Amino acid sequence: RYFQDVEIPLADDIGALKIRGFIDRIDRIDGDKLVVLDYKTGTTKINTTEMSDGRDFQMMTYILALQHILQTTDTNLELAGGMFWHLRNLKASGIFKVGDADDQQAIESARRHITNNLRKGRAGKFPVHANHIEDGKCSRYCDYSHLCRMSITNRHKPES
């Protein structure tokens, strides 16, 4: 389903984030509940903590977009949640449940991260920093890890 001109409210000094895009699939369950599914070709699990930690805003975007669509249309449908569906191993990850306190907290944390990113960007501040170290790399699939100081400086630091 395509959506456009959906506004995600942020802090007053930022305003709303206007988004548009496609949701791969929306299933209707239990009569009037909707579940967002996003297809992934890889098998790497995506946890809702990726939202909380400010690394992945995709599911948050879909959840808030569909909530906006449901609020602005004359329908009795309601959003139940969402998940990523991995096509290679047919497994779900990042299962999000509307009404779950931890999942709602993940969305609010992601919203704060987006707000802070926009503030920094508008101020011209684009500092690079790794926020998820794995095997001495900021990303397990980084093509440039041999050039990065993360693999050199972190090897002497104790594990945290």
Side-chain angles (χ1 to χ4, degrees), residues 43-143:
T43 57
T44 303
K45 288 177 64 174
I46 304 168
N47 295 317
T48 54
T49 56
E50 294 296 305
M51 262 192 294
S52 303
D53 296 339
R55 287 188 291 273
D56 191 321
F57 304 114
Q58 187 175 15
M59 186 55 66
M60 179 207 74
T61 302
Y62 293 159
I63 295 293
L64 295 177
L66 191 52
Q67 283 177 335
H68 175 81
I69 291 166
L70 292 173
Q71 290 170 355
T72 58
T73 57
D74 186 24
T75 181
N76 62 345
L77 299 173
E78 62 182 84
L79 183 59
M83 71 176 117
F84 297 106
W85 183 251
H86 300 273
L87 298 173
R88 288 192 186 164
N89 61 6
L90 301 178
K91 292 187 179 179
S93 72
I95 297 171
F96 180 91
K97 297 176 185 170
V98 171
D100 180 89
D102 290 338
D103 289 346
Q104 288 304 129
Q105 187 176 3
I107 281 194
E108 292 311 311
S109 179
R111 194 187 308 250
R112 285 190 301 275
H113 279 288
I114 289 174
T115 299
N116 289 334
N117 290 345
L118 286 170
R119 279 188 186 121
K120 289 177 186 175
R122 289 177 180 173
K125 297 178 182 175
F126 300 95
V128 176
H129 66 280
N131 62 8
H132 186 75
I133 308 301
E134 185 177 319
D135 295 328
K137 300 176 187 175
C138 55
S139 172
R140 69 174 178 76
Y141 51 83
C142 181
D143 293 331

Side-chain angles (χ1 to χ4, degrees), residues 10 49 151:
L10 299 174
T49 56
S151 61

